[in-house]
Amino acid sequence: EAQVTQNPRYLITVTGKKLTVTCSQNMNHEYMSWYRQDPGLGLRQIYYSMNVEVTDKGDVPEGYKVSRKEKRNFPLILESPSPNQTSLYFCASSSTFNEQFFGPGTRLTVL
Amino acid sequence: SQQGEEDPQALSIQEGENATMNCSYKTSINNLQWYRQNSGRGLVHLILIRSNEREKHSGRLRVTLDTSKKSSSLLITASRAADTASYFCATDTLFSRSNDYKLSFGAGTTVTVRA
């Protein structure tokens, strides 16, 4: 089944404790991206990647890191999480200029 | 910054009525896409319309695109309670100089269909 998976689905952590949210797709898509969704603000892009070893900043990259060492994986790293990073996070993938396939979301709470 | 802006922010209609929402954007695009999100879940792709197309249909959905006005509309006909969701437009652009591809979402329209 074609899908995008994210883990964990829910995470409660404390300020400053490094964390990684994994994202994996099985559709051989070139394009992958991370979004955060906050009430009233819609989806804002954090980082995106057009292919292996090619990543670029989206609209709200501060406080986040990504890597794209393999085509299927695109982890999101928060080196030192802060409470303002409490949000709902989505990973998505697509072949360029086609529909995005979204993961189920990761609800992150930073205390 | 967000490219697309949906209007209205919220819409409440009776089952069986049509729902129309609009999306405006600022810069040139390659395609415009519409997505649907049920509360707290991932977005699901509804329809993609390319910049050289003016109208597209998919089941009860009708999308129009006016590139001269930089706007699009999504019409849901004969709405059902199951259509209750948030709807987002997304614009994608390829920047030829940098070969950079960007997909930008608007803030969404929340649609409530009353039984």
Side-chain angles (χ1 to χ4, degrees):
Chain A
E1 180 191 352
Q3 61 181 350
V4 177
T5 56
Q6 291 179 232
N7 282 292
R9 295 288 313 280
Y10 302 90
L11 180 60
I12 300 174
T13 189
V14 295
T15 299
K17 186 176 181 182
K18 182 179 177 180
L19 67 92
T20 299
V21 184
T22 63
C23 173
S24 183
Q25 51 96 2
N26 62 0
M27 295 166 279
N28 202 36
H29 286 159
E30 303 86 24
Y31 188 84
M32 296 186 74
S33 59
W34 276 101
Y35 300 89
R36 62 177 288 174
Q37 185 175 30
D38 302 289
L41 296 177
L43 274 81
R44 293 181 293 167
Q45 192 177 52
I46 303 170
Y47 268 94
Y48 63 98
S49 169
M50 293 187 69
N51 217 321
V52 175
E53 302 291 1
V54 180
T55 63
D56 214 338
K57 295 177 181 178
D59 298 317
V60 288
E62 293 78 22
Y64 304 95
K65 283 175 58 177
V66 293
S67 68
R68 187 93 181 272
K69 294 185 170 57
E70 306 163 285
K71 199 171 187 178
R72 63 183 291 125
N73 296 323
F74 190 45
L76 179 70
I77 302 156
L78 284 72
E79 294 269 2
S80 183
S82 62
N84 65 12
Q85 292 178 298
T86 292
S87 187
L88 179 57
Y89 291 86
F90 289 102
C91 179
S93 75
S94 73
S95 51
T96 311
F97 294 129
N98 285 302
E99 66 176 282
Q100 297 262 304
F101 289 82
F102 279 80
T106 294
R107 192 167 291 279
L108 172 66
T109 302
V110 183
L111 301 174
Chain B
S1 60
Q2 287 177 285
Q3 161 84 301
E5 290 184 9
E6 288 94 341
D7 171 60
Q9 289 186 333
L11 183 59
S12 180
I13 56 173
Q14 199 71 34
E15 204 166 26
E17 293 180 339
N18 296 342
T20 300
M21 60 210 87
N22 303 297
C23 170
S24 59
Y25 56 92
K26 297 176 184 138
T27 62
S28 297
I29 62 170
N30 291 89
N31 307 301
L32 188 140
Q33 305 180 38
W34 284 91
Y35 289 81
R36 164 199 168 117
Q37 183 184 36
N38 289 90
S39 181
R41 296 183 169 229
L43 278 72
V44 174
H45 183 262
L46 294 176
I47 199 163
L48 180 152
I49 185 165
R50 304 201 184 277
S51 58
N52 61 356
E53 296 176 311
R54 292 296 166 257
E55 190 170 310
K56 205 159 183 180
H57 297 255
S58 176
R60 293 183 295 112
L61 304 179
R62 173 180 167 245
V63 168
T64 63
L65 179 64
D66 186 336
T67 53
S68 67
K69 294 182 180 177
K70 292 187 170 58
S71 68
S72 173
S73 67
L74 171 66
L75 168 68
I76 305 172
T77 60
S79 63
R80 305 167 182 167
D83 294 327
T84 294
S86 293
Y87 294 82
F88 296 87
C89 69
T91 55
D92 65 45
T93 307
L94 178 65
F95 299 97
S96 53
R97 283 190 182 179
S98 60
N99 206 36
D100 210 12
Y101 168 71
K102 187 166 178 62
L103 184 71
S104 298
F105 284 82
T109 293
T110 300
V111 174
T112 303
V113 181
R114 306 185 304 275

